[in-house]
């Protein structure tokens, strides 16, 4: 039983990963004829004859799929022609900022959404609770582009409370503590945008499932035993209400990534999203390919981990044939 | 059953709000070309001029009327969402129903394929294809719908399995009804609520992705889209163009996605009795 729980989700994820790697290997090679000149003809990047030959060689040297696959592990992901830098260096430089932004937003919105959702379900029917649900439903409908642009206009440009772009002040010689404060200030607006985008979904979902769980008999039993209400809420009921949030996370992940790309671009936050935006606007195909592949593999990994987290939260899952 | 649902939908403020704004936006979409005072590609006006009687929202940096651009851009965003929503719904229903009906190997294959597609982030495939091949928006919408069908298929399959073992289906079989007859006359109509929910959620996702990908510059830059308008206007944020150029597309896009969200949420609530209790 235990073994099957570990093995079961693996094939789909391994296959999905292989499909992504193969797609990123095969798709550029499907381009007809001399795509290099077609691609770069209208771009702001001008290539010397030497560079053009290099790019063509990069795509036509017929390295086999196995070689491409191995290069993936040795961080040999190719060379960006817009930045004149190895792709691995660019991605590894941008990755920490993206992880900080997205990870922070997810942790905050999940914890906040969970606690507020549980409390709202507990106090169901009150005036504040109902208007809160209404506000969250409206917020759930506003896309990240909308919140991002409005927060930028109000707090960065009009009020000037936060910096409008970047992740830290360039060339500023701060003490470590000053630097942390600087980074936090730059992080505030993009983080707020993402939290505003993720929080309502987590809240509504937790509240919905919590309301359902609170009707179960074991909650009644726990109350009847005279346990303190907070203990009934969190130790008994909330654990069961956690499940839908974890499941929905995997389903919404593509949606969330799209939003994060946009938010990073709006605030020129130097993560993978902005790197991708720059790569797209400079038509840097190898870089686009690298970013897409690496971030998809990371998403696959997160999804796989979630699968196990799900089984751990709800032991019943492992017992379903 | 349908009278009850009709009644409940009418009483749900979210549905009323969503349907009301939705109808208004639909009118704007349908009448767009008639309402637009100028050709959206006419570049003969004075660039960056402020709003006036001739140009309600002023003129953009390329000398095009912003109000007309807005109307045409919304048409493209909505059309993308509707196409992707409808096609992914059609695929999802076909795959889900056939998996539930035939079972066995076909069921296994379809569900494993769905698992794989669910694991792959759709937007990444879309970005890769858009950046490499520069396909037309309709091709991208179709690509997206090939990535989005699994959730619908899984929902349809689960519900179809329940209906398939219902008493009335057994009765129909006893009376000699063919498989095709049962699928078309019983299964398809009985799963109707699932289609509405599936369509609304998929269309919402597709519109959101269209705007975002356009914002990131993955579509033809001369194509009219709310996302592209926002991205162009954002380049001039230091000028006094917030109210007439930057905020209208932001507002319209938010309204559009909000409307579809309201509809999806209220449909889910009314058609899923367990959820309804929670609200």
């Amino acid at each position: 039983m235990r073994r099957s729980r570990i093995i079961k989700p693996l094939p789909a994820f391994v296959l999905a990963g292989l499909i992504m790697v193969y797609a990123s290997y095969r798709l550029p090679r499907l381009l007809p004829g001399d795509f290099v000149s077609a691609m770069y003809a209208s771009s702001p990047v001008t290539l010397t004859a030497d560079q053009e030959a290099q790019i063509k060689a990069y795509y036509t040297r017929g390295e086999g799929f196995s070689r491409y696959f191995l290069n993936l592990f040795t961080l040999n992901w190719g060379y960006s022609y817009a930045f004149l830098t190895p792709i691995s260096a660019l991605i590894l430089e941008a990755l920490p900022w993206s992880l900080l932004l997205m990870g922070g937003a997810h942790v905050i919105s999940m914890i906040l959404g969970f606690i507020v959702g549980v409390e709202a379900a507990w106090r169901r029917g009150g005036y504040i609770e109902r208007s809160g649900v209404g506000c969250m439903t409206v917020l759930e409908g506003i896309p990240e582009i909308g919140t991002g642009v409005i927060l930028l206009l109000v707090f960065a440009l009009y009020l000037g409370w936060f910096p409008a772009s970047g992740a830290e002040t360039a060339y500023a010689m701060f003490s470590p503590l000053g630097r942390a404060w600087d980074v936090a200030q730059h992080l505030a607006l993009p983080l707020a945008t993402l939290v505003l985008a993720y929080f309502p979904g987590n809240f509504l979902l937790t509240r919905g499932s919590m309301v359902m769980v609170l009707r179960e008999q074991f909650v009644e039993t726990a109350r009847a035993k005279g346990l303190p209400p907070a203990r009934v809420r969190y130790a008994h009921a909330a654990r069961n209400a956690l499940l839908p949030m974890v499941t929905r996370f995997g389903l919404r992940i593509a949606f969330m990534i799209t939003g994060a790309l946009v938010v990073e671009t709006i605030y020129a936050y130097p993560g993978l999203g902005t790197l991708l935006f720059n790569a797209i606007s400079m038509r840097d195909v190898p870089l686009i390919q690298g970013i897409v592949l690496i971030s998809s593999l990371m998403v696959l990994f997160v999804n796989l981990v979630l699968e196990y987290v799900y089984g751990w939260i709800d032991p019943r899952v492992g017992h379903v044939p | 059953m349908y009278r009850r649902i009709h009644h409940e939908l009418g009483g749900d403020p979210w549905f009323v709000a969503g349907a009301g704004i939705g109808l208004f936006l639909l009118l704007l979409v349908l009448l767009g070309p008639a309402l637009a005072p100028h050709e959206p590609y006419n570049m003969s006006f004075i660039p960056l001029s402020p709003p006036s009687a001739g140009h309600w929202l002023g003129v953009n940096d390329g000398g095009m009327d912003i109000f007309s651009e807005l109307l045409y851009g919304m048409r493209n965003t909505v059309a993308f969402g509707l196409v992707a929503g409808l096609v992914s719904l059609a695929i999802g229903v076909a795959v889900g129903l056939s998996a539930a009906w035939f079972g066995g190997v076909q069921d296994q294959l379809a569900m494993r394929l769905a698992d794989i597609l669910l694991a792959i982030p759709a937007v990444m495939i879309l970005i890769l294809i858009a950046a490499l091949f520069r396909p037309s928006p309709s091709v991208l919408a179709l690509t997206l719908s090939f990535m989005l069908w699994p959730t619908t298929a899984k929902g349809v399959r689960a519900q179809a399995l329940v209906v398939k073992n219902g008493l009335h289906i057994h009765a129909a079989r006893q009376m000699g009804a063919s498989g095709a007859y049962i699928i078309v006359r019983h299964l398809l109509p009985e799963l109707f609520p699932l289609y509405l929910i599936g369509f609304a959620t998929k269309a919402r996702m597709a519109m959101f992705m269209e705007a975002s990908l356009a914002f990131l510059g993955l579509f033809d830059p001369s194509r009219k889209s709310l996302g592209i308008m926002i991205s162009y206007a954002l380049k001039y944020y230091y000028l006094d163009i917030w109210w007439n150029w930057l905020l209208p597309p932001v507002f319209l896009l938010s309204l559009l996605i909000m409307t579809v969200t309201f509809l999806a949420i209220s449909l889910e609530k009314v058609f899923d009795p367990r959820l309804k209790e929670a609200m």
Side-chain angles (χ1 to χ4, degrees), chain A residues 58-73:
Chain A
Y58 178 86
Y59 283 110
T60 50
R61 72 181 159 205
E63 62 165 10
F65 179 62
S66 50
R67 180 93 223 132
Y68 181 88
F69 192 71
L70 284 180
N71 281 344
L72 201 61
F73 294 99

Side-chain angles (χ1 to χ4, degrees), chain A residues 10 37 55 63 124 129 139 163 217 246 249 258 263 277 311 315 321:
Chain A
L10 268 176
S37 25
I55 304 187
E63 62 165 10
R124 191 156 80 95
E129 195 259 348
L139 255 184
Q217 299 213 315
V246 179
F249 187 88
T258 321
V263 170
F277 176 75

Side-chain angles (χ1 to χ4, degrees), chain A residues 12-13 15-16 19-20 23-24 27-28 30-31 39 124 133-134 137-138 140-146 149-150 152-153 157-158 204 207-208 211-212 215 248 251 254-255 257-259 261-262 265-266 276-277 280 283 285 288-289 292 295-296 299-300 303, chain B residues 14 112 115-125 127-129 131-134 151 204-206 208-209 211-213 215-219 221 227 230-231 234-235 237-238 242 246-247 250 253-255 257-259 261-262 265 268 274-275 277-279:
Chain A
F13 284 96
L15 261 174
I19 288 176
M20 278 311 298
S24 78
L27 286 178
L30 284 179
L31 288 166
M39 213 59 146
R124 191 156 80 95
V133 172
T137 313
V138 172
E140 169 81 345
I142 302 180
E144 283 93 326
I145 295 189
V149 167
I150 288 170
L152 176 78
L153 289 185
L157 301 178
Y158 187 71
L204 291 173
R207 183 188 162 279
V211 166
M212 232 91 83
R215 285 156 197 257
R248 194 64 84 89
L251 292 179
F255 214 42
I257 291 179
T258 321
L261 291 180
V262 170
T265 310
I266 291 177
L276 182 65
F277 176 75
I280 290 169
R283 311 277 172 248
V285 176
I288 298 175
Q289 188 191 334
V292 165
S295 44
S296 320
V299 171
L300 280 182
N303 266 336
Chain B
W14 296 112
R112 291 298 82 76
D115 283 340
I116 292 172
L117 282 178
L118 274 178
I120 295 176
V123 62
M124 287 300 160
I125 296 271
I127 288 176
L128 196 59
I129 289 178
L132 287 175
F133 299 103
R134 314 296 178 105
T151 38
R204 168 173 178 243
M205 199 175 272
F208 175 76
M209 285 198 177
S212 307
L213 294 187
F215 179 84
L216 292 174
L218 280 164
F219 285 105
I230 298 172
S231 118
L234 212 50
K235 288 183 188 148
Y237 67 84
Y238 48 85
W242 294 4
L246 182 52
L247 288 179
V250 166
L253 180 69
S254 302
L255 199 64
I257 292 181
M258 216 190 294
T259 307
T261 310
F262 288 174
I265 286 182
E268 265 185 358
R274 288 181 316 129
L275 261 180
E277 280 177 34
M279 286 296 159

Side-chain angles (χ1 to χ4, degrees), chain A residues 19-263:
Chain A
I19 288 176
M20 278 311 298
V21 176
Y22 190 72
S24 78
Y25 162 79
R26 179 51 65 190
L27 286 178
R29 288 165 174 75
L30 284 179
L31 288 166
D34 183 12
F35 86 93
V36 174
S37 25
M39 213 59 146
Y40 287 83
S42 60
S43 88
V45 181
T46 44
L47 296 176
T48 61
D50 192 33
Q51 284 173 318
E52 201 172 325
Q54 249 185 315
I55 304 187
K56 277 182 195 156
Y58 178 86
Y59 283 110
T60 50
R61 72 181 159 205
E63 62 165 10
F65 179 62
S66 50
R67 180 93 223 132
Y68 181 88
F69 192 71
L70 284 180
N71 281 344
L72 201 61
F73 294 99
T74 53
L75 299 190
N76 184 4
W77 300 336
Y79 200 77
S80 158
Y81 287 87
F83 292 96
L84 301 173
T85 318
I87 288 172
S88 51
L90 287 170
I91 291 184
L92 292 181
E93 191 188 337
L95 195 57
W97 293 117
S98 277
L99 289 181
L100 176 70
L101 177 60
M102 285 195 75
H106 280 305
V107 168
I108 293 177
S109 66
M110 278 187 135
I111 294 177
L112 220 62
F114 182 69
I115 293 177
V116 181
V118 166
E119 294 299 325
W122 194 257
R123 297 169 172 69
R124 191 156 80 95
Y127 180 71
I128 299 175
E129 195 259 348
R130 253 190 271 165
S131 52
V133 172
C135 286
M136 285 304 133
T137 313
V138 172
L139 255 184
E140 169 81 345
I142 302 180
E144 283 93 326
I145 295 189
T147 6
V149 167
I150 288 170
L151 288 186
L152 176 78
L153 289 185
V154 174
F155 291 102
L157 301 178
Y158 187 71
L159 294 174
W161 289 355
F162 297 99
S165 69
E168 51 186 334
T169 312
Y171 307 116
M173 305 294 249
F174 285 129
S175 62
L177 209 63
R179 183 167 177 228
W181 175 241
D182 186 48
V183 168
Q185 267 191 321
H186 281 84
L187 187 64
L189 283 182
L191 189 73
T193 310
L194 285 183
V195 168
L196 281 179
Y198 301 157
F199 173 71
N202 289 332
F203 167 78
L204 291 173
L205 218 60
T206 309
R207 183 188 162 279
S209 57
M210 184 72 182
V211 166
M212 232 91 83
V213 171
L214 285 180
R215 285 156 197 257
E216 303 265 347
Q217 299 213 315
F218 70 87
V219 179
E220 198 81 359
T221 312
R223 274 199 215 180
K225 281 195 294 188
L227 292 178
R231 198 174 149 75
V232 176
R233 236 175 300 166
Y234 287 97
H236 290 252
R239 180 170 175 166
N240 294 284
L242 196 61
L243 284 170
M245 196 158 84
V246 179
T247 345
R248 194 64 84 89
F249 187 88
L251 292 179
R252 286 166 51 111
I253 214 163
F255 214 42
M256 293 170 171
I257 291 179
T258 321
L261 291 180
V262 170
V263 170

